[in-house]
Coordinates of all heavy atoms in Angstrom, one line a residue:
D165 N -28.3 36.9 18.6 CA -27.0 37.3 18.0 C -26.3 36.1 17.5 O -25.6 35.3 18.2 CB -26.1 37.9 19.1 CG -24.9 38.6 18.6 OD1 -24.5 38.3 17.4 OD2 -24.2 39.4 19.3
V166 N -26.4 35.8 16.2 CA -25.8 34.6 15.6 C -24.3 34.7 15.5 O -23.7 33.7 15.1 CB -26.4 34.4 14.2 CG1 -27.9 34.1 14.3 CG2 -26.2 35.6 13.2
F167 N -23.7 35.9 15.7 CA -22.3 36.0 15.6 C -21.6 36.0 17.0 O -20.4 36.1 17.1 CB -21.9 37.4 14.9 CG -22.5 37.5 13.5 CD1 -23.5 38.3 13.3 CD2 -21.9 36.7 12.5 CE1 -24.1 38.4 12.0 CE2 -22.4 36.8 11.2 CZ -23.5 37.7 11.0
M168 N -22.4 35.7 18.0 CA -21.9 35.6 19.4 C -21.0 34.3 19.5 O -21.3 33.3 18.9 CB -23.0 35.6 20.3 CG -22.7 35.9 21.8 SD -24.2 35.9 22.8 CE -25.0 37.4 22.3
D169 N -20.1 34.4 20.5 CA -19.3 33.2 20.8 C -20.2 32.1 21.4 O -20.7 32.3 22.5 CB -18.2 33.6 21.8 CG -17.3 32.4 22.2 OD1 -17.6 31.3 21.7 OD2 -16.4 32.6 23.0
I170 N -20.4 31.1 20.6 CA -21.4 30.0 21.0 C -21.1 29.4 22.3 O -21.9 28.8 23.0 CB -21.6 29.0 19.8 CG1 -22.8 28.1 20.0 CG2 -20.3 28.2 19.7 CD1 -24.1 28.9 19.8
N171 N -19.8 29.3 22.6 CA -19.3 28.6 23.8 C -19.4 29.4 25.1 O -19.3 28.9 26.2 CB -17.9 28.1 23.7 CG -17.8 27.1 22.6 OD1 -18.2 25.9 22.9 ND2 -17.2 27.4 21.5
K172 N -19.7 30.7 25.0 CA -19.8 31.6 26.1 C -21.2 32.1 26.3 O -21.7 32.9 25.5 CB -18.8 32.8 25.9 CG -18.6 33.6 27.2 CD -17.5 34.6 27.0 CE -17.2 35.4 28.2 NZ -16.1 36.4 28.1
I173 N -21.9 31.7 27.4 CA -23.3 31.9 27.5 C -23.5 33.3 28.2 O -23.3 33.5 29.4 CB -24.0 30.9 28.4 CG1 -23.7 29.5 27.9 CG2 -25.5 31.1 28.4 CD1 -24.0 29.2 26.4
E174 N -23.8 34.3 27.3 CA -24.0 35.7 27.8 C -25.1 36.3 26.9 O -25.2 36.0 25.7 CB -22.7 36.5 27.7 CG -21.7 36.2 28.8 CD -20.5 37.2 28.7 OE1 -20.0 37.3 27.6 OE2 -20.2 37.8 29.7
N175 N -25.9 37.2 27.5 CA -26.8 38.0 26.7 C -26.3 39.5 26.9 O -25.7 39.8 28.0 CB -28.2 37.9 27.2 CG -28.7 36.4 27.1 OD1 -28.6 35.8 26.1 ND2 -29.2 35.9 28.2
F176 N -26.5 40.3 25.9 CA -26.0 41.6 26.0 C -27.1 42.6 25.8 O -28.1 42.4 25.1 CB -24.9 41.9 24.9 CG -23.7 41.2 25.1 CD1 -23.4 40.0 24.4 CD2 -22.7 41.6 25.9 CE1 -22.3 39.2 24.6 CE2 -21.5 40.9 26.1 CZ -21.3 39.7 25.4
V177 N -27.0 43.7 26.5 CA -28.1 44.8 26.5 C -27.4 46.1 26.1 O -26.4 46.5 26.7 CB -28.8 44.9 27.8 CG1 -29.9 46.0 27.7 CG2 -29.5 43.6 28.2
E178 N -27.9 46.7 25.1 CA -27.4 48.1 24.7 C -28.6 49.1 24.9 O -29.7 48.8 24.6 CB -27.1 48.1 23.2 CG -25.9 47.1 22.8 CD -25.6 47.1 21.4 OE1 -26.6 47.3 20.6 OE2 -24.5 46.8 21.0
K179 N -28.2 50.2 25.5 CA -29.2 51.2 25.8 C -28.8 52.6 25.1 O -27.7 53.0 25.3 CB -29.4 51.4 27.3 CG -30.5 52.4 27.6 CD -30.7 52.5 29.1 CE -32.0 53.4 29.4 NZ -31.9 54.7 28.8
Y180 N -29.7 53.1 24.4 CA -29.5 54.4 23.8 C -30.5 55.4 24.5 O -31.2 55.0 25.4 CB -29.7 54.4 22.3 CG -28.8 53.4 21.6 CD1 -29.3 52.1 21.3 CD2 -27.5 53.7 21.3 CE1 -28.4 51.2 20.7 CE2 -26.6 52.7 20.7 CZ -27.1 51.5 20.4 OH -26.3 50.6 19.8
D181 N -30.6 56.6 24.0 CA -31.5 57.5 24.7 C -33.0 57.0 24.8 O -33.6 57.2 25.8 CB -31.5 58.9 23.9 CG -30.2 59.6 24.0 OD1 -29.4 59.2 24.9 OD2 -29.8 60.4 23.1
D182 N -33.5 56.5 23.7 CA -34.9 56.1 23.7 C -35.1 54.7 23.2 O -36.1 54.3 22.8 CB -35.7 57.0 22.8 CG -35.2 57.1 21.4 OD1 -34.1 56.5 21.1 OD2 -35.8 57.7 20.5
K183 N -34.0 53.9 23.4 CA -34.1 52.5 22.8 C -33.3 51.6 23.7 O -32.1 51.9 24.1 CB -33.6 52.5 21.4 CG -33.9 51.2 20.7 CD -33.7 51.3 19.2 CE -34.2 50.1 18.4 NZ -34.1 50.2 17.0
I184 N -33.8 50.4 23.9 CA -33.1 49.3 24.6 C -33.0 48.1 23.6 O -34.1 47.7 23.1 CB -33.8 48.8 25.9 CG1 -33.7 50.0 26.9 CG2 -33.1 47.6 26.4 CD1 -34.6 49.7 28.1
I185 N -31.9 47.6 23.3 CA -31.7 46.4 22.5 C -31.1 45.2 23.3 O -30.1 45.4 23.9 CB -30.8 46.7 21.3 CG1 -31.3 47.8 20.4 CG2 -30.6 45.4 20.4 CD1 -30.4 48.2 19.3
I186 N -31.8 44.1 23.3 CA -31.4 42.9 24.0 C -30.9 41.9 23.0 O -31.7 41.5 22.1 CB -32.5 42.3 24.8 CG1 -33.0 43.3 25.9 CG2 -32.0 41.0 25.6 CD1 -34.2 42.9 26.6
W187 N -29.6 41.5 23.1 CA -29.0 40.5 22.2 C -29.0 39.2 22.9 O -28.3 39.1 24.0 CB -27.6 40.9 21.7 CG -27.6 42.2 20.9 CD1 -27.4 43.4 21.3 CD2 -27.8 42.2 19.5 NE1 -27.5 44.3 20.2 CE2 -27.7 43.6 19.1 CE3 -28.1 41.3 18.5 CZ2 -27.9 44.0 17.8 CZ3 -28.3 41.7 17.2 CH2 -28.2 43.0 16.8
I188 N -29.7 38.2 22.4 CA -29.8 36.9 23.1 C -28.9 35.9 22.5 O -28.7 35.8 21.3 CB -31.3 36.4 23.0 CG1 -32.2 37.4 23.8 CG2 -31.4 35.0 23.6 CD1 -33.6 37.0 23.9
H189 N -28.3 35.1 23.4 CA -27.3 34.0 22.9 C -28.1 32.9 22.2 O -29.2 32.6 22.5 CB -26.6 33.4 24.1 CG -25.5 32.5 23.8 ND1 -25.7 31.2 23.4 CD2 -24.2 32.7 23.8 CE1 -24.5 30.6 23.1 NE2 -23.6 31.5 23.4
P190 N -27.5 32.4 21.1 CA -28.2 31.4 20.3 C -28.8 30.1 21.0 O -29.7 29.5 20.5 CB -27.2 31.0 19.2 CG -26.3 32.2 19.1 CD -26.2 32.7 20.5
V191 N -28.1 29.7 22.1 CA -28.6 28.5 22.7 C -30.0 28.7 23.3 O -30.8 27.7 23.4 CB -27.7 28.1 23.9 CG1 -26.4 27.6 23.4 CG2 -27.6 29.1 25.0
F192 N -30.5 29.9 23.5 CA -31.8 30.2 24.0 C -32.9 30.0 22.9 O -34.1 30.2 23.1 CB -31.9 31.5 24.7 CG -31.1 31.6 25.9 CD1 -29.9 32.3 26.0 CD2 -31.5 30.8 27.0 CE1 -29.1 32.3 27.1 CE2 -30.7 30.9 28.2 CZ -29.5 31.6 28.2
L193 N -32.5 29.8 21.6 CA -33.4 29.5 20.6 C -34.2 28.2 20.9 O -35.3 28.0 20.4 CB -32.7 29.2 19.2 CG -32.2 30.4 18.4 CD1 -31.3 29.9 17.3 CD2 -33.5 31.1 17.8
F194 N -33.6 27.4 21.8 CA -34.2 26.1 22.1 C -34.9 26.1 23.5 O -35.2 25.0 24.0 CB -33.2 25.0 22.1 CG -32.4 25.0 20.8 CD1 -31.1 25.5 20.7 CD2 -32.9 24.5 19.6 CE1 -30.4 25.6 19.5 CE2 -32.2 24.5 18.4 CZ -30.9 25.1 18.4
S195 N -35.1 27.3 24.0 CA -35.8 27.4 25.4 C -37.3 27.5 25.2 O -37.8 28.0 24.2 CB -35.2 28.6 26.1 OG -33.8 28.5 26.3
N196 N -38.0 27.1 26.3 CA -39.4 27.3 26.3 C -39.9 28.7 26.7 O -39.0 29.5 27.1 CB -40.1 26.2 27.2 CG -39.7 26.4 28.7 OD1 -39.6 27.5 29.1 ND2 -39.6 25.3 29.4

Side-chain angles (χ1 to χ4, degrees):
D165 190 347
V166 296
F167 300 107
M168 195 178 289
D169 180 356
I170 193 73
N171 292 288
K172 192 172 183 180
I173 311 302
E174 285 184 308
N175 301 307
F176 293 97
V177 180
E178 297 176 332
K179 187 178 185 303
Y180 304 99
D181 291 340
D182 57 352
K183 191 167 186 176
I184 295 171
I185 301 176
I186 301 174
W187 295 97
I188 295 182
H189 191 282
V191 292
F192 294 107
L193 278 172
F194 309 102
S195 299
N196 64 34

